[in-house]
Amino acid sequence: NAGVTQTPKFRILKIGQSMTLQCAQDMNHNYMYWYRQDPGMGLKLIYYSVGAGITDKGEVPNGYNVSRSTTEDFPLRLELAAPSQTSVYFCASSYPEGTEAFFGQGTRLTVV
Amino acid sequence: AQSVTQLDSHVSVSEGTPVLLRCNYSSSYSPSLFWYVQHPNKGLQLLLKYTSAATLVKGINGFEAEFKKSETSFHLTKPSAHMSDAAEYFCVVSDASGGYNKLIFGAGTRLAVHP
C-alpha cells in the first residue's frame, strides 16, 4: 500500500498566485485532514472531511478551500497566495473516532 | 474543547540515559491519546496510542507512555536514549466532540541526544 501520497513535495509561489496541493489515500479511510505546520507551533488543522461530499473548517481555514469528490482524494486549494501561507502542509487520513491518523510526507510551500 | 500542552519545547539527554517527554491534556470525557515522532524533513510516524484499554502503553522503538487520568497526563518515556531518537515528538488528543474525529496537536518537544 502507498498509504497517503502528497504532491508536490516542494513549491515556490509568488504572491497572488494560486495552486492545488494534491492528496490521495488508498486505505479506504473515511476521514481526511489538512494540517499546516509552522516552526514551534505544532500542527494546526485547516480543513477536514468525514466522507465524500462532506467537508468542514478546522482551526485555520482562511485562504484555503477543499473538496472531496471521492473517498480517495482530498485536494487543498490556495486561491491568492500570501507570505503567511509559507508553511509545511500535511495531509492525513484515518478511520473514525479514536483512531490514529496516517500522514503523508508533506509539502513545503514558500510564498515570495 | 480538548487541548494538549507539552511542557518542554526542548529536551536534551545523553545517549544511554532515560528520556521523559511530558504531556498534559484537557478533556471533557475519556480521550484517545497518541504520540507521534517526526524526524527532520520527514512525515509523522505513530509511536503509540491510548484508547481506554491498558493505562501503560508500549510503542515502537522502546518507547512507552502511561495514561494518568487523575493527573490528566500522558508522559512519554524510554529507558535508554539512542542517537536515532533525536527528533520532534508530538502529543495528540482525539477530539470527537460534535461527532467528528479531529486530532489536536501539542506544540511539540524537540529531543536532542548527545554522545
Side-chain angles (χ1 to χ4, degrees):
Chain A
N1 279 345
V4 179
T5 303
Q6 289 183 240
T7 56
K9 288 187 170 54
F10 303 94
R11 184 71 186 268
I12 298 175
L13 278 183
K14 294 184 178 179
I15 294 171
Q17 287 185 321
S18 61
M19 77 163 293
T20 299
L21 281 66
Q22 301 290 345
C23 176
Q25 54 95 6
D26 61 1
M27 296 173 281
N28 202 32
H29 287 161
N30 288 332
Y31 285 68
M32 295 188 75
Y33 317 81
W34 274 106
Y35 289 89
R36 59 177 287 171
Q37 183 181 28
D38 300 314
M41 299 295 289
L43 275 72
K44 299 293 186 184
L45 182 63
I46 305 172
Y47 270 95
Y48 66 100
S49 169
V50 300
I54 306 170
T55 63
D56 205 352
K57 297 177 180 178
E59 303 170 81
V60 290
N62 292 343
Y64 307 94
N65 278 300
V66 293
S67 59
R68 186 94 180 272
S69 57
T70 67
T71 298
E72 294 77 20
D73 300 299
F74 190 41
L76 178 72
R77 179 82 178 163
L78 284 71
E79 291 293 350
L80 289 171
S84 61
Q85 294 177 306
T86 293
S87 190
V88 180
Y89 292 84
F90 287 99
C91 179
S93 71
S94 77
Y95 289 116
E97 293 84 10
T99 61
E100 71 269 26
F102 295 82
F103 285 82
Q105 291 297 298
T107 297
R108 186 174 296 275
L109 176 66
T110 303
V111 182
V112 297
Chain B
Q2 312 239 38
S3 66
V4 175
T5 302
Q6 292 184 242
L7 299 169
D8 307 291
S9 59
H10 292 84
V11 170
S12 181
V13 301
S14 298
E15 191 175 21
T17 64
V19 175
L20 170 64
L21 305 183
R22 299 182 294 166
C23 173
N24 286 352
Y25 69 91
S26 69
S27 173
S28 57
Y29 57 95
S30 190
S32 294
L33 293 157
F34 311 87
W35 276 98
Y36 282 85
V37 61
Q38 185 182 30
H39 288 92
N41 299 314
K42 300 288 187 185
L44 285 87
Q45 180 184 18
L46 180 70
L47 271 181
L48 50 81
K49 63 180 178 180
Y50 167 78
T51 54
S52 75
T55 56
L56 183 61
V57 181
K58 294 188 183 300
I60 61 171
N61 300 334
F63 284 94
E64 62 182 38
E66 186 171 9
F67 173 71
K68 292 186 177 180
K69 187 174 181 179
S70 60
E71 299 176 9
T72 61
S73 69
F74 190 56
H75 301 335
L76 182 70
T77 60
K78 182 174 181 178
S80 176
H82 191 273
M83 296 296 290
S84 60
D85 294 328
E88 184 120 23
Y89 292 80
F90 294 97
C91 183
V92 181
V93 64
S94 172
D95 179 2
S97 60
Y100 301 137
N101 185 40
K102 291 178 284 187
L103 298 181
I104 308 299
F105 281 75
T109 298
R110 185 166 298 276
L111 175 66
V113 182
H114 302 287

